[in-house]
Structures are given as C-alpha cells and as structure tokens.
Amino acid sequence: MSHSCAIFLMTANSTLTMISRDAWYLAFRAAFLTTFEQLSAERDGDDAAATAGFLDHIPLLSGCAAQVQIDCLLKTWHQLCHHPSRPLRPIEQCVCYCAVNELARLGQIENRRLLAVAAAGPTPLKNPDYLWLASKIRALQVTWPFRVRTPNVMDDGRLLNADLDDPHHQPVSAETRRVLLDTVGAWQVSAEILSNSEGLLCRDEVRTLGVFLQKNPRLMNL
C-alpha cells in the first residue's frame, strides 16, 4: 500500500497495525470487485449473474446504481488517501461501513476467488491469511477512521446491517437522509472516477472500467 494511502488509517488510532491497514485495503478492493461484477452483469443483461452492490448492506442505500456505488467508493478512497484530516461525510461513512461488511460477507461465504483477486493488486498482499479474516474485520470495526458515536448514519459501529428507519437507532437527520436518497437516485458518475482509483485498482481494472464508461457515455457527468 502506498504511504499516502496508509496515512488515513493512522488518524483514528495511532497503534493501528499493518494487518489492519491491509484489511482496510482489502475491504475497499472487495467492495469494488463485487460491485463491478454487478455492473458487468447488468451490462451483459445477465440477470442470473447479477449480485448486490456493496452499499446494499445499508437498507436505505439498497438499489443505488452500481456505477454510482463504484464512484462513491473511489471518491471515499481518494478522500481517505489525500485529505485524511477532513471529517468524513455521511455517504463516506456509509462506504466505510459497507466495504468492511462486504469483506466480511465474502469471508463468510468463503469466496476465495474474489478474495484472491482483491489481494492480488495493485499492491499485492503477502500471503493473506483468510483464516484470521474475521478477527481482522473486527479490528477494523473498532478502529474506524472517524468517531463511531458522531456519525448521523448509525449510532453503533457494530450494527452494520441496521435499518436506518429502525426507531431503536439514532434518528437520521433530514439533511443526511436527503443526501443518501440523492445518492440512491443518482445515475451518472463524476469525471474524476478513474483518477480517484489510484492506489486501489490495478491497471487492467482501470482500463476495463474506462472502456465501460466510454461505451456508456450517458453515465458520465461531464
């Protein structure tokens, strides 16, 4: 992992280990790969191969267009790498929660294919230990890059599958709800989507995503 992308992982807990930093990287990689598979299946009209995007782990964000999910993921990655001191916005916090939950899901169903691809690049992880994946994920949940009690999204970092409309959780502000619903209703991605992928996607993945967007220019907000 590049030095710049490791910095943000030290902002919440100065004792964060390299294992946890690698797990954060793996979580964002897993979220991209899962969601890009959904995007590819939609492009090919293969409903049988379609999967849920990583943001579907939060019910309020379920149904968000796959390309928008990827855009949010890469924007958050860029933010964490290059502007670690700025507090994360609600949608960025959702991305962090959901990326970790997607990594947990892949570990639970033992999807070694996607986990191996996630660990392979662009900065390969040395001998990823899937046996201890669950404990690494738990380490992420207690070392969020923001204060768990402050987000408007949820009031408990352990409740990654919590329904935002559940009255047992901290109410979501009207502004936060508007931002999240605007995200769900979005269709186009930002012009910086490819440049935001630096350090997270390998060269072939950037090229594949770029070709997809070139063939579908209506998805670009130019």
Side-chain angles (χ1 to χ4, degrees), residues 101-185:
N101 213 25
E102 183 59 21
L103 179 60
R105 186 187 72 84
L106 293 181
Q108 183 178 14
I109 65 176
E110 297 185 357
N111 190 329
R112 290 182 174 268
R113 178 185 64 83
L114 274 186
L115 289 172
V117 175
T123 304
L125 300 183
K126 296 181 179 179
N127 302 317
D129 188 353
Y130 301 128
L131 180 64
W132 295 101
L133 186 58
S135 64
K136 292 177 184 179
I137 292 171
R138 181 55 187 153
L140 300 189
Q141 294 173 349
V142 298
T143 54
W144 298 109
F146 49 83
R147 293 184 179 180
V148 173
R149 299 299 301 183
T150 58
N152 295 329
V153 180
M154 294 179 225
D155 67 351
D156 192 330
R158 295 171 297 176
L159 302 176
L160 299 185
N161 286 315
D163 188 332
L164 294 183
D165 291 319
D166 189 329
H168 293 94
H169 298 112
Q170 179 179 341
V172 177
S173 71
E175 175 62 17
T176 297
R177 187 178 293 271
R178 182 191 65 77
V179 170
L180 298 184
L181 290 178
D182 284 348
T183 300
V184 174

Side-chain angles (χ1 to χ4, degrees), residues 43-215:
R43 173 199 62 194
D44 298 335
D46 188 354
D47 294 336
T51 58
F54 83 103
L55 285 181
D56 283 18
H57 286 293
I58 293 182
L60 189 60
L61 294 175
S62 179
C64 180
Q67 69 272 11
V68 174
Q69 294 193 42
I70 291 174
D71 194 28
C72 290
L73 180 77
L74 298 181
K75 283 179 179 177
T76 302
W77 172 258
H78 185 270
Q79 153 68 19
L80 293 172
C81 287
H82 298 284
H83 306 285
S85 62
R86 178 175 70 73
L88 295 181
R89 299 184 177 98
I91 188 61
E92 294 165 340
Q93 295 176 20
C94 287
V95 166
C96 290
Y97 277 117
C98 292
V100 171
N101 213 25
E102 183 59 21
L103 179 60
R105 186 187 72 84
L106 293 181
Q108 183 178 14
I109 65 176
E110 297 185 357
N111 190 329
R112 290 182 174 268
R113 178 185 64 83
L114 274 186
L115 289 172
V117 175
T123 304
L125 300 183
K126 296 181 179 179
N127 302 317
D129 188 353
Y130 301 128
L131 180 64
W132 295 101
L133 186 58
S135 64
K136 292 177 184 179
I137 292 171
R138 181 55 187 153
L140 300 189
Q141 294 173 349
V142 298
T143 54
W144 298 109
F146 49 83
R147 293 184 179 180
V148 173
R149 299 299 301 183
T150 58
N152 295 329
V153 180
M154 294 179 225
D155 67 351
D156 192 330
R158 295 171 297 176
L159 302 176
L160 299 185
N161 286 315
D163 188 332
L164 294 183
D165 291 319
D166 189 329
H168 293 94
H169 298 112
Q170 179 179 341
V172 177
S173 71
E175 175 62 17
T176 297
R177 187 178 293 271
R178 182 191 65 77
V179 170
L180 298 184
L181 290 178
D182 284 348
T183 300
V184 174
W187 186 251
Q188 294 182 313
V189 301
S190 62
E192 299 78 24
I193 184 170
L194 297 181
S195 61
N196 286 340
S197 69
E198 182 181 1
L200 184 64
L201 306 189
C202 65
R203 188 172 303 173
D204 286 345
E205 291 164 346
V206 173
R207 182 167 55 249
T208 301
L209 180 59
V211 169
F212 174 83
L213 293 173
Q214 288 176 359
K215 292 181 176 179

